[in-house]
Structure formats: structure tokens, C-alpha cells
Amino acid sequence: MKNIGIGLAGFGTVGAGVYENLERHRDLIAERSGYVFDVRRIVVRNPQKTRDVVAPAALFSNRWQDLLEDSEIKVVVELMGGTSEAYDLTVAAIKSGRIVVTGNKALLAERGAEIFAMACEHKVPVFFEAAVAGGIPIIQSLRDAFVGNRIESVHGILNGTSNYILTRMQEAGLDYPEALAEAVKLGYAEADPTLDINGWDAGHKAIILAALAYGFWVDPATIRVEGIDRVSAADIHFAKSLGYCIKLLGSIRENSGMVEVGVAPTLIPLGNVLASVNGVFNAVAVRGDLVGDSLFYGRGAGRGPTSTSVIGDLVEAAHGLNAARQTYGFASHSLYGSSRPASEIVGSYYLRLSVDDKPGVLARIAGVLGEAGIGISSVVQPESIAGVETPLVLMIHEATYGAMCAAIAKISALNCVKGEPLLFNVEALS
Ligand code: HSE
């Protein structure tokens, strides 16, 4: 057995899970991999805090620099989150020649190009299985198992918290704040759940998947990312009556030589397999030109699943110590052109309005859409239900997102339209 010294930055849900499970499965991991992982230092903001996972007090420190001052630490595990100190630690670790294992999706989505350029320069790999979809091995699958495929599309339910909330709203009739409080209590949401709710946790993950599928880092400022905060019980009900359920879906695809990435509440057919992905579960559907359709399913958040991915990366890192490599966790290339700005992406939509119950209203709305060259594929005027008076639902078959936004601005200004129109995507996933 070979001992590998590791340094842990962060001891929250994931960091504590890594420590606990390295201890619990020490023998199993050693027998299977040939390595014993020795946590030599744990960096946290407050070393004195009482924690539910107990580790020797002497391991704790509040200086990340300590990880780099111990020459026996060969792998730095960055699970502190955020993009400031985590960036400084990651860069310093790479420059010091240490392998980095990270679960930090925001950091990679925002600065992945720079971090991997540095990793190549210093010939130090960075592994990040825990950054996307908790315990599902989607990073290794896209990067290694599907290396021989052109990836046509990746669709994913990528945020466990949002999926948990939508499921609880749908199945138990909970309202949004109650469902969110449950997700926080269960340790699914981030310490600050803002990014779970506003869609950016899934947005960061979609950018990472797109990078692996297409070889470059899409600029977060150019993509459309919306969270589930405007999904209401009424919309879940209307969608169901049309044969759909609502999921927060990450959509990544190559289309006519350009890469399209976005995250939004999306109506998907009830019969599609992704419609039955509920609770904290995530799923990623990958379509490759050789492999066809593949589906990855598993828990997207929580201590056990996410530490599973970190421990897998630790073994990968240990194999990589002192071994010559051609790539360093992500290989950039320019075989897929560039990314298409959100406003130019063509999609199908669910547009829900609240309107005056008077003759001529539909004609005025259809007139605005018609002038913009946007065709309506169906119109439904469901019964009013709690929270939405005189609803009007329009299904739009094909329009650019930019054209939809411009038309919605005009529709909002009509005096027969009340409140803010709601626009969700529709994906046939065929
Ligand atoms: N807060 C995240 C989620 C955890 O709910 O999916 C995993 O990134």
C-alpha cells in the first residue's frame, strides 16, 4: 500500500463527507486502489466550531497556505466553495506542483480556461468529478468513456435542490418556501442557496459539461440562465394538462456548427424518461454520434454521493502522481466553432399570461406575435386557479429567444395583460 498525503480545504457537507468516508472505507479503498489516503490538514474558516463529523483538533487550521507548507501533502482537495480564496488556493497548489481535486463548479465555469491553461503549463492535473451531478460519474464519462464520440447534445437535470423543490411542490402540494427549507435541512442546497434557486448552480454545471463536450469554455455572460423561483403550482398544473412536467433543464447542443448552452425551467413530455427523475436525483442524457443515447442517473447532492466523486478523483490523482500525462483533466480544442448567443438560439416556448376576461384580448396578443413573425402552435385558456386569474397559455413552436423577449415586452405593455408574462422553454427531447 502506498500512503498519499492530502490536504482538505473545506469541511462542510462534502468536505466532512470525504473525511468521514475515507476513514469508514479505508480498507476497501486500499484493497481496490493500492492507496491509503492520509488527511494531513483541514482548512476551515473557524477551527473551533463544533462539527457533526469529528476529526482530530490538531488537523484544523484557518490558513489555506498551510496545505502548501507541508511537503507530504501531494493532493489538495478544494471544497471550500466561492471564487476568491478557492481561486488563490487552486492557483498556488498548481504552481507548487500539487494535483488539485475540486468540487467548485462556479470557479471552473468562470475561470476554467485560465485554470486549465495553468494546469497544462505546470503539468499538474485538476480533477472535478464532484463539480457536476453529485455522485454521477458524468465528468469521467464525457471526458474518457466517450472520447471517441462527437457529442450531439447533453440534457441534464443538474440541480438537486431545484428538482427536490419542484417534486415536493408537484407531489406533496408544498409551497415554495417550505420545500426550500426542507432542501436546506437535508444538506442539498449550498450554504447560501441563492445559486441553487436562481439557476446558476445548474448554469455553472452546464458550462462545465459543454466544455468537456465541445472543448472550450463558454462565457457565462452570454448564456440564458433562469431558476425555478417563478414556477408556480398553477404552471405545474397547466403543464400537466398539456402532457408535460416542468424541470429545471440544462440544454447543451451543437447546432449548425455552433454550440448552444442554457438553463431554464422547461416543459418536457411526461412520457420522457427525464420526467420521472424526481427529488434530489439528477440525470444527464447524452447523445453521441457513435454511442447514441445514454442516460446517467443518480443523486445530485448530499454528503455520500458527492464524497463518492471526490474519493474517485483522489484515486485518479494518486495514479497520476509522477506519471507522464498528455492531458491535465480538460483538453481544450477548437473543433466545434464558438457558442451561439442566447438571443439567437431558436426554441419552443410556454408563454403564460394573466389577461382581462374580455373579447378581442387574444387577437391583440396574437397580433403582436404575428407582427414579430412568431407562430402560435396552440392556445389554452384554463380555468383560473389560485394565484393566476384568467390565465392564457400560448405554446410557441419555433422562435429565437431574442424575438420572444422583444414580443413579450410589447405584450406586457398591452393594457389587457396583467402582471409579468412568464416564459418557459419546451423541449420535445425526441
Ligand atoms: N446545491 C447543489 C444541488 C449541490 O442542489 O444540486 C450539488 O452541486
Side-chain angles (χ1 to χ4, degrees), residues 41-309:
R41 175 88 37 218
I42 301 170
V43 176
V44 289
R45 213 162 279 137
N46 175 9
Q48 269 74 46
K49 189 171 143 185
T50 311
R51 299 165 201 278
D52 62 338
V53 173
V54 179
L59 289 184
F60 287 93
S61 141
N62 59 6
R63 289 181 70 245
W64 60 257
Q65 290 84 351
D66 286 352
L67 302 182
L68 309 180
E69 284 162 16
D70 178 348
S71 61
E72 289 303 311
I73 291 181
K74 306 293 183 199
V75 183
V76 168
V77 183
E78 188 278 294
L79 300 167
M80 63 211 285
T83 52
S84 151
E85 264 195 308
Y87 172 80
D88 294 340
L89 169 60
T90 301
V91 168
I94 292 171
K95 287 186 174 165
S96 76
R98 284 164 174 97
I99 297 181
V100 176
V101 170
T102 179
N104 194 328
K105 49 246 160 193
L107 180 63
L108 294 181
E110 286 170 20
R111 307 189 78 160
E114 187 190 336
I115 286 170
F116 284 99
M118 221 175 288
C120 276
E121 185 190 336
H122 293 273
K123 300 193 184 310
V124 173
V126 175
F127 297 113
F128 50 102
E129 189 64 71
V132 181
I136 303 175
I138 188 62
I139 302 298
Q140 210 174 49
S141 301
L142 270 177
R143 188 187 56 213
D144 302 331
F146 290 177
V147 67
N149 276 253
R150 280 190 77 88
I151 303 299
E152 293 170 6
S153 63
V154 182
H155 288 100
I157 294 173
L158 300 172
N159 183 261
T161 302
S162 300
N163 206 41
Y164 182 85
I165 293 171
L166 289 176
T167 304
R168 295 291 284 156
M169 286 171 72
Q170 196 163 333
E171 289 180 354
L174 257 59
D175 66 19
Y176 183 87
E178 275 178 292
L180 172 60
E182 277 190 10
V184 170
K185 196 168 157 218
L186 290 164
Y188 301 154
E190 302 297 312
D192 169 4
T194 310
L195 300 184
D196 291 307
I197 298 316
N198 69 14
W200 271 102
D201 175 83
H204 292 144
K205 293 167 181 170
I207 288 172
I208 293 172
L209 294 179
L212 289 166
Y214 300 116
F216 66 96
W217 295 89
V218 170
D219 179 354
T222 64
I223 70 170
R224 172 182 170 211
V225 172
E226 281 172 27
I228 60 162
D229 42 351
R230 294 195 65 209
V231 178
S232 68
D235 294 299
I236 291 173
H237 173 78
F238 299 151
K240 193 170 174 194
S241 65
L242 291 163
Y244 295 94
C245 72
I246 303 178
K247 293 289 182 194
L248 185 70
L249 193 75
S251 299
I252 301 145
R253 61 168 75 83
E254 183 201 10
N255 183 7
S256 314
M258 286 180 97
V259 172
E260 302 178 348
V261 181
V263 172
T266 303
L267 276 71
I268 62 173
L270 282 169
N272 186 277
V273 67
L274 290 181
S276 47
V277 175
N278 287 319
V280 71
F281 282 87
N282 282 192
V284 188
V286 181
R287 183 170 291 170
D289 64 342
L290 307 180
V291 73
D293 286 313
S294 291
L295 181 71
F296 299 81
Y297 172 82
R299 286 178 196 274
R303 185 166 276 179
T306 314
S307 63
T308 296
S309 290

